[in-house]
Every structure is written in structure tokens, then in C-alpha cells.
């Protein structure tokens, strides 16, 4: 007989047993209640996304996807590049333009090895200025279960570095083009932006003729490097950039611009401006915008270039309603007590004039404020919805950050704090990501959320970065970046944890088994409703774009390999795949379709 004095203990034991039984892949002694509660909260969200399909697209050569978007009819447009000489489903591919494939004996092989700074042989980077590269577009059927249409540029015509699918199905594409690009355009009107007049320094002050001649030659070499043709094995080909509009049926170019000498595409992102007749913003040797009808290209729009987040002040985004744009990042200041990396975020109008600034306090004010919010902090991404609300992501090196307060008032906290339920207490040195919702017209900070992980054994906060963000039609955010051990994952995550997750501090001990896990991730979060719709590590994947599908879903475009390269390895996700195996080369294109579970 069991005494009544032990019954409460037994009940508690049974309750814990039931709770642990429902937690994924961790033994009882490995579970931190903090990690457990955060994971359960994410997994209990009734509006989660699940993997409907995941597939490769590749051959033994090298392929990638740079963009994917779902259309209203259920099909998915995926856009990428192939380095050749082979191409998937070549027998059913429609070729655009007329180029030629340069033999590998004439140009470097994509599998070539080079020495790094330490003298080790590593694969040479795949170049987007490689003459053979071919940009392609795939139209997938519903749920990625068929390839309904496949078109590509002929070898040696053009690549596709950035793309945007318009509401009517037309596609704006931009990339690098050779002289053969004209053969792909048909009767489309083509305009050209000439090479800008190079700035030459006045060298007359150099009195020595030999030194002046050497300086002039160095200057001309630099000008040729920046604006001249690109050479492969002493053979020149065009270094131009193009931007063009392709019809929804993928058959007709409506217009094209050739940007002479603008050999760089600075990001695979494009931004759509709905107002003022419609524009598309892209980066090519600075920020450009082009009218959707192709009638005008504004070479003076924007300031600076699209740089890497975390490196000074960069172009961060566009207000789609009016074309205002945002520059931000962080600057080195001093609070009067210590050095401080201060966030900066400035909105500019269409005349490149500053309209307003966020986080612009004098640094000593922050340093002497009673809150002492002096963790190094920087702005990283900005997106604006149709109602004017700004989504802002920030980085900080701790939770004691100005990212947690109103961007124009140190004393005002947001209406909702910790909107995703992830708290920062007990953190060691780490990188913290913040998600903020703010309205610049009303000065209202609606919410703030930490985006972090928790170590499964100890519950200690762990680092998660946000490298890119897209605002989806349903008000949620698609984000990607890198995560250390402890990313809070949802039910259909692609990475199963090992049974033993060690304290992060022990991972650096030589005799500790390397059972921690970190790497790229994909997530869809809805901070406005306090929910994580999807979150998972992305083994083997290099995420390029997260696109909307049917308003509530998401498609993940990447290039991928077979697995995450660890021992033991975790394979790259495939499910209901048209191509279930990695085909070889340096990379294959890879797509994942995420949708809510049908009732």
C-alpha cells in the first residue's frame, strides 16, 4: 500500500515523466527547464509551418538558387545560376540567346585548387564573372512536385545575380552580361548607362618625370581594373551589368538597361517601390533604381554601397510606399566612461536628404543615463509594411542595449517586451539579436523581442545572428543567419539534437566530446503575435533567399551540398523530392517548401 504522504511526490514524478517523454531527442538529465519551456512554447504554436517538400536541382557541375517566390496559382518560380558544362534536364530546357561554351582548357576549371594565406590548397571561389556561367529560371508546379518550365541563358551570355517577381508575374532580373547578351533580348528596347568618367588625380606636383610616369601608369591600371573588360587567360569579355524585365510567360524581354563597366552586383536583394509609378532598387557599384516600365534609370539614388552588415554604415532597406531609404549600422563613440559602438539608423528622402534619425543620442547621455544601456549595438536590417510600421533588427554584444528601448527616447520601454518569450538573464559574453517594431510617425515602439537560443543543459542564453530578413505578406518575418548551440527549434526541425549537449564552456576542452551544434538556420517568426512559426538549423545549406508562398507559407532558396560536413554528419533535408540526392560538383541548387499543416 502506498501511503498518502508519498502520493504528491509520486504525482510530481509522473508529471515530470510525461513532460520529458514529449520532449524531442534529449535524455532526462540533459534537459534544462528553461530550454524545455522555450522549446515547448515554440512547438505548441498552432500556426507552425511544416516541410512539404525539399529537393535538389543539380548535376556533377555547379548550380545554385539565388531567389524563389510562390505565385498565386500555387507554382513556384526559382532563379539561379549554373557554371556548366552540364545542366539539369537539358533536353527540356529552352535556351535564351546565342553564346558559346568556352572549353575548360581555355578557361580555369571551377574545380581548380588555390593556396590560401596559410599555404593550404583550397577550392578556388566560383566566380560570377566566369564566361560560361548561365542564369536560369525554373517554374515548379504545386508543392514542388513537377518542373513545368525551364529556361536559361545560353552559355557565355549572362548570369542572374538578383531578382524580384512582381505581382503580375513579370520578373525583374539583374546580373553580369557578356557582349552576347544582345542576342537574348529580341526586339526589346535597350538603353545604356555609359562608363562614368574616371577620376584622375592631378600628378603635376610630382617633379621627377620617372616617378610621375609610374604614378600615371598605376592610376591607369586601377581605372582599367575598375571599369575595363574582365580577362580570363588574357582574353577579354564584357564586364557590364544589366537589369531587365522578363514577361510572366518567360518568353519576352520588355526592356533592358546595360550598365557599362558596372561589373558588381552587390547583393541578391531587390526592393520594390510601389509609389511614384513604381521602381525597383538594386545594388551595382552603388545604389540604383530603375522604373518598372524601363523608361528611366536613376544612377544617383541612394548613398554609398550595399556593404556587409556589421562593417560601418550601410544601405539597409527601402520604404516601399514612397521610396525613402535607410542607411545604418554602428559607429565608434565614447560615453565619457568607455568606448561604445553606437547604433545609427537614418531615413533619407528621394532627394538623398536626411528625414529623421533613430538611436542618435549623444553618447555621454547614454553612458550617464540611469539605465546604463551601453552594450555595443548596431542596426542590421529594416523593412516597412503597408501601414508604415518599421521592422528593425539589431545586434548587440549583451542584453543591456539601447535596442530594448524606444529609438528616440531612452526612458520609454516598448508596449510589449520579450515578445517571443526569450529572455536574456544569466547571459555570458554573447551576440544578441533584437527585433523591434516601431512607427516613425507616432514615435510608438510597439514591441521588442530578443532572438536568441538557450543551451539545452544549462539554459544559459546562446548567440543567434540575423544576417537577412524579409517581411512576408501575413505580417510575419522570415529570417536567416547563424546560431550557436541551443537554437529554439519547432516541431519539424531538420536537425535532431544528440542526446548529450554539453555546456558551451566545455566545448573548448580538448577531452570533451564535440557534441555541441551550431550553423546556419532558417526561421519564420511572428513577434506581433508572440509566436515562432518555424525554426531549424539548416545543415548543408547556404541560404540565399526566403520567399513568400500563398501568404502564409515560405520557400527557402539556397545552394547546398550533401550534408553539414561534421562527424557524424547530418544530411541536408530532402522530402518528396524530384531530386533526392546531391549530384556533385561544388554545389547544387536546393529548395524547401514550408506550409501550415492542413486541418
Amino acid at each position: 500500500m502506498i501511503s498518502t504522504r508519498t502520493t504528491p511526490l509520486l504525482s510530481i514524478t509522473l508529471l515530470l515523466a510525461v513532460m520529458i517523454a514529449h520532449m524531442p531527442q534529449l535524455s532526462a538529465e540533459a534537459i534544462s527547464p528553461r530550454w524545455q519551456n522555450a522549446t515547448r512554447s515554440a512547438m505548441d504554436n498552432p500556426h507552425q509551418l511544416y516541410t512539404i517538400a525539399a529537393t535538389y536541382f543539380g548535376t556533377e557541375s555547379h548550380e545554385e538558387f539565388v531567389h524563389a517566390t510562390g505565385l498565386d496559382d500555387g507554382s513556384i518560380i526559382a532563379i539561379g545560376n549554373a557554371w556548366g558544362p552540364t545542366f539539369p534536364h537539358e533536353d527540356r530546357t529552352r535556351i535564351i540567346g546565342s553564346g558559346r561554351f568556352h572549353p575548360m582548357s581555355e578557361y580555369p576549371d571551377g574545380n581548380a585548387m588555390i593556396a590560401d594565406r596559410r599555404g593550404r590548397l583550397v577550392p578556388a571561389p566560383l566566380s560570377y564573372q566566369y564566361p560560361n556561367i548561365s542564369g536560369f529560371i525554373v517554374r515548379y508546379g504545386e508543392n514542388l512536385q513537377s518542373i513545368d518550365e525551364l529556361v536559361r541563358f545560353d552559355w557565355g551570355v549572362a548570369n542572374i545575380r538578383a531578382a524580384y517577381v512582381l505581382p503580375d508575374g513579370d520578373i525583374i532580373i539583374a546580373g553580369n552580361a557578356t557582349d552576347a547578351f544582345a542576342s537574348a533580348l529580341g526586339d526589346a528596347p535597350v538603353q545604356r548607362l555609359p562608363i562614368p568618367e574616371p577620376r584622375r588625380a592631378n600628378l603635376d606636383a610630382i617633379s621627377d618625370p620617372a616617378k610621375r610616369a609610374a604614378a600615371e601608369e598605376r592610376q591607369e591600371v586601377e581605372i582599367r581594373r575598375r571599369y575595363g573588360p574582365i580577362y580570363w587567360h588574357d582574353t577579354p569579355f564584357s564586364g557590364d551589368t544589366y537589369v531587365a524585365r522578363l514577361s510572366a510567360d518567360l518568353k519576352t524581354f520588355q526592356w533592358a538597361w546595360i550598365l557599362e563597366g558596372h561589373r558588381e552586383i552587390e547583393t541578391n536583394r531587390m526592393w520594390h517601390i510601389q509609389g511614384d509609378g513604381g521602381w525597383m532598387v538594386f545594388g551595382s557599384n552603388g545604389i540604383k533604381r530603375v522604373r518598372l516600365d524601363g523608361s528611366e534609370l536613376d544612377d544617383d539614388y541612394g548613398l554609398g554601397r550595399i556593404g556587409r552588415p556589421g562593417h560601418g554604415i550601410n544601405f539597409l532597406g527601402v520604404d516601399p510606399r514612397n521610396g525613402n531609404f535607410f542607411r545604418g549600422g554602428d559607429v565608434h563613440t565614447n560615453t565619457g566612461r568607455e568606448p561604445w559602438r553606437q547604433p545609427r539608423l537614418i531615413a533619407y528622402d528621394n532627394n538623398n536628404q536626411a528625414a529623421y534619425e533613430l538611436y542618435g543620442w549623444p553618447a555621454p547621455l547614454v553612458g550617464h543615463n540611469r539605465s546604463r544601456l551601453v552594450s555595443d549595438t548596431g542596426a542590421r536590417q529594416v523593412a516597412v509594411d503597408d501601414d508604415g510600421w518599421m521592422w528593425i533588427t539589431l545586434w548587440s554584444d549583451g542584453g543591456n542595449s539601447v535596442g530594448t528601448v524606444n529609438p528616440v527616447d531612452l526612458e520609454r520601454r516598448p508596449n510589449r517586451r520579450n515578445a517571443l518569450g526569450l529572455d536574456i538573464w544569466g547571459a555570458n559574453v554573447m551576440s544578441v539579436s533584437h527585433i523591434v517594431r516601431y512607427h516613425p510617425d507616432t514615435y510608438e515602439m510597439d514591441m521588442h523581442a530578443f532572438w536568441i537560443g538557450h543551451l539545452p543543459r544549462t539554459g544559459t542564453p546562446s548567440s543567434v545572428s540575423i544576417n537577412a530578413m524579409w517581411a512576408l505578406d501575413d505580417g510575419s518575418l522570415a529570417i536567416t543567419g547563424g546560431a550557436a548551440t541551443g537554437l529554439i527549434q519547432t516541431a519539424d526541425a531538420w536537425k535532431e539534437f544528440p542526446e548529450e549537449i554539453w555546456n558551451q564552456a566545455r566545448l573548448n576542452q580538448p577531452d570533451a566530446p564535440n557534441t555541441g551544434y551550431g550553423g546556419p538556420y532558417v526561421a519564420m517568426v511572428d513577434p506581433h503575435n508572440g509566436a515562432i512559426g518555424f525554426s531549424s538549423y539548416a545543415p548543408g545549406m547556404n541560404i540565399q533567399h526566403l520567399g513568400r508562398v500563398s501568404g502564409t507559407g515560405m520557400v527557402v532558396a539556397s545552394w547546398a551540398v550533401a550534408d553539414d560536413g561534421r562527424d557524424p554528419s547530418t544530411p541536408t533535408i530532402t522530402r518528396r523530392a524530384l531530386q533526392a540526392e546531391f549530384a556533385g560538383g561544388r554545389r547544387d541548387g536546393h529548395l524547401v517548401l514550408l506550409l501550415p499543416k492542413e486541418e
Side-chain angles (χ1 to χ4, degrees):
M1 176 179 294
I2 301 176
S3 72
T4 55
R5 297 184 62 183
T6 61
T7 301
L9 179 60
L10 179 60
S11 300
I12 293 171
T13 304
L14 290 173
L15 177 60
L16 287 174
V18 170
M19 292 170 59
I20 292 170
H22 285 82
M23 294 304 299
Q25 280 75 48
L26 287 178
S27 61
E29 65 271 20
I31 297 175
S32 155
R34 195 177 183 191
W35 178 89
Q36 180 184 14
N37 292 337
T39 299
R40 181 188 295 109
S41 177
M43 295 180 68
D44 285 347
N45 172 23
H47 305 295
Q48 290 185 61
L49 300 183
Y50 294 84
T51 304
I52 304 302
T55 187
Y56 286 104
F57 180 88
T59 68
E60 64 274 14
S61 299
H62 325 296
E63 298 83 18
E64 68 175 8
F65 285 124
V66 298
H67 182 95
T69 297
L71 302 182
D72 292 339
D73 62 2
S75 62
I76 292 174
I77 294 291
I79 300 169
N81 294 292
W83 277 258
T86 57
F87 186 78
H89 311 288
E90 184 76 358
D91 57 335
R92 52 183 297 194
T93 301
R94 179 161 51 86
I95 307 298
I96 304 174
S98 178
R100 75 180 183 95
F101 189 88
H102 302 278
M104 288 299 183
S105 58
E106 183 178 348
Y107 291 99
D109 189 342
N111 287 312
M113 305 294 285
I114 61 172
D116 66 7
R117 288 180 298 179
R118 297 181 181 179
R120 300 171 301 184
L121 286 178
V122 297
L126 290 174
S127 172
Y128 288 102
Q129 284 139 7
Y130 182 49
N132 289 338
I133 193 171
S134 168
F136 64 84
I137 302 175
V138 188
R139 189 192 305 277
Y140 281 90
E142 189 172 4
N143 293 338
L144 296 178
Q145 294 307 290
S146 64
I147 292 178
D148 296 344
E149 193 167 8
L150 182 53
V151 300
R152 71 168 178 86
F153 287 115
D154 197 8
W155 304 117
V157 172
N159 63 33
I160 302 175
R161 298 290 309 283
Y164 191 97
V165 180
L166 294 167
D168 64 2
D170 286 4
I171 307 172
I172 306 293
I173 57 175
N176 304 110
T178 71
D179 294 333
F181 182 61
S183 67
L185 298 177
D187 297 329
V190 180
Q191 302 185 69
R192 304 184 76 89
L193 182 69
I195 295 176
E197 182 64 29
R199 296 180 180 178
R200 289 179 167 84
N202 187 343
L203 304 176
D204 293 342
I206 303 178
S207 57
D208 187 318
K211 292 182 178 179
R212 184 169 61 250
E216 290 173 348
E217 176 59 24
R218 288 193 300 270
Q219 184 169 255
E220 293 306 311
V221 167
E222 176 62 18
I223 290 172
R224 288 195 299 271
R225 184 192 69 80
R226 293 189 61 187
Y227 299 109
I230 298 167
Y231 284 80
W232 285 79
H233 282 213
D234 299 324
T235 301
F237 78 101
S238 171
D240 297 340
T241 286
Y242 75 90
V243 58
R245 180 166 180 166
L246 182 63
S247 61
D249 61 7
L250 310 182
K251 293 181 178 179
T252 306
F253 281 99
Q254 299 183 19
W255 53 262
W257 276 85
I258 306 294
L259 286 66
E260 297 177 354
H262 289 66
R263 63 181 62 178
E264 292 185 48
I265 293 290
E266 294 163 15
T267 174
N268 61 5
R269 293 290 297 272
M270 282 186 162
W271 292 268
H272 180 204
I273 300 174
Q274 301 161 359
D276 192 23
W279 296 80
M280 190 61 61
V281 176
F282 64 103
S284 176
N285 282 24
I287 315 301
K288 310 287 191 294
R289 66 175 182 171
V290 61
R291 285 199 179 274
L292 294 183
D293 63 5
S295 62
E296 182 182 357
L297 188 142
D298 185 357
D299 190 31
D300 294 323
Y301 175 81
L303 298 170
R305 299 165 67 92
I306 300 176
R308 287 194 301 156
H311 292 73
I313 302 298
N314 297 301
F315 185 90
L316 297 186
V318 171
D319 187 334
R321 303 169 304 159
N322 52 31
N324 289 353
F325 63 92
F326 303 93
R327 299 186 74 237
D330 56 79
V331 293
H332 290 272
T333 60
N334 196 299
T335 66
R337 295 178 174 177
E338 59 191 328
W340 180 45
R341 287 174 65 179
Q342 178 176 358
R344 284 289 169 83
L345 182 55
I346 305 173
Y348 292 84
D349 61 23
N350 283 261
N351 296 316
N352 295 345
Q353 300 299 308
Y356 58 87
E357 180 176 0
L358 306 181
Y359 306 105
W361 308 287
L365 176 63
V366 178
H368 292 80
N369 180 269
R370 60 186 175 83
S371 298
R372 294 277 296 145
L373 301 175
V374 292
S375 292
D376 288 343
T377 305
R380 292 296 179 259
Q381 290 91 22
V382 175
V384 181
D385 67 20
D386 292 339
D387 296 323
W389 284 98
M390 295 173 60
W391 289 109
I392 307 168
T393 66
L394 302 101
W395 158 90
S396 69
D397 69 352
N400 199 35
S401 164
V402 293
T404 62
V405 298
N406 190 295
V408 295
D409 189 343
L410 281 171
E411 299 295 334
R412 289 175 61 188
R413 296 284 177 171
N415 298 337
R416 290 177 299 127
R417 302 167 65 179
N418 293 350
L420 292 174
L422 303 175
D423 53 71
I424 201 70
W425 60 265
N428 298 316
V429 177
M430 61 176 293
S431 289
V432 179
S433 291
H434 306 254
I435 300 173
V436 169
R437 191 169 186 256
Y438 175 78
H439 205 299
D441 296 338
T442 63
Y443 312 109
E444 180 184 0
M445 184 178 178
D446 179 57
M447 55 125 305
H448 169 272
F450 290 114
W451 179 239
I452 56 174
H454 288 294
L455 296 181
R457 289 200 65 168
T458 66
T460 305
S462 63
S463 300
V464 181
S465 66
I466 300 176
N467 296 339
M469 170 185 69
W470 291 264
L472 303 181
D473 292 349
D474 64 349
S476 59
L477 298 178
I479 56 177
T480 185
T485 299
L487 176 73
I488 303 303
Q489 299 192 117
T490 48
D492 196 27
W494 307 327
K495 165 64 186 175
E496 295 182 357
F497 279 112
E499 283 205 1
E500 290 294 329
I501 300 289
W502 290 75
N503 185 303
Q504 195 172 37
R506 295 191 60 191
L507 293 177
N508 294 324
Q509 296 181 7
D511 58 342
N514 186 18
T515 52
Y517 193 84
Y521 73 88
V522 171
M524 191 274 280
V525 299
D526 184 2
H528 190 55
N529 294 316
I532 300 175
F534 180 82
S535 179
S536 175
Y537 290 107
M541 300 163 61
N542 190 299
I543 311 300
Q544 299 296 307
H545 184 259
L546 305 177
R548 70 163 183 86
V549 176
S550 303
T552 57
M554 182 168 67
V555 59
V556 182
S558 72
W559 60 260
V561 292
D563 55 52
D564 60 3
R566 296 169 179 261
D567 184 16
S569 64
T570 300
T572 302
I573 179 69
T574 57
R575 192 170 298 174
R576 299 175 65 199
L578 293 177
Q579 180 181 326
E581 301 292 335
F582 176 62
R586 295 268 290 283
R587 60 182 67 166
D588 278 358
H590 188 269
L591 294 175
V592 184
L593 176 62
L594 296 161
L595 292 174
K597 182 175 289 187
E598 295 183 2
E599 298 297 334

